[in-house]
Amino acid sequence: PWGDLEKGRLNNRLKTISNYFQEKKVDAIIIACNTSALLFYEELKKYCKVPLFHIIDHLCQSAIEHSLKKQITILVTRFFDH
């Protein structure tokens, strides 16, 4: 969904989106996009006034727990920083 936007523009877009939901008085925000979570979670965590979660850690831990060999592979999108 991010297309070829530069990292700075993506960061600003995510801050705008998180502002919108914080103004709506949400209890928490979940980042369900792996790319967004990997690139911007730490920055957004400092910025958000509500709890912020991402799915990567939970899903990886769950996959490891269900793996017979305790090894997993993660498929991700490639991000080009302009």
Side-chain angles (χ1 to χ4, degrees), residues 21-63:
F21 287 111
Q22 289 180 83
E23 289 171 3
K24 299 294 180 188
K25 307 291 186 207
V26 298
D27 294 323
I29 296 173
I30 300 171
I31 302 173
C33 172
N34 289 339
T35 303
S36 296
L38 287 171
L39 293 173
F40 305 111
Y41 174 75
E42 292 300 324
E43 175 72 21
L44 287 174
K45 189 167 72 169
K46 296 178 208 170
Y47 181 76
C48 282
K49 295 175 180 84
V50 299
L52 181 69
F53 303 95
H54 65 85
I55 61 171
I56 297 170
D57 286 341
H58 175 72
L59 290 177
C60 289
Q61 185 60 41
S62 180

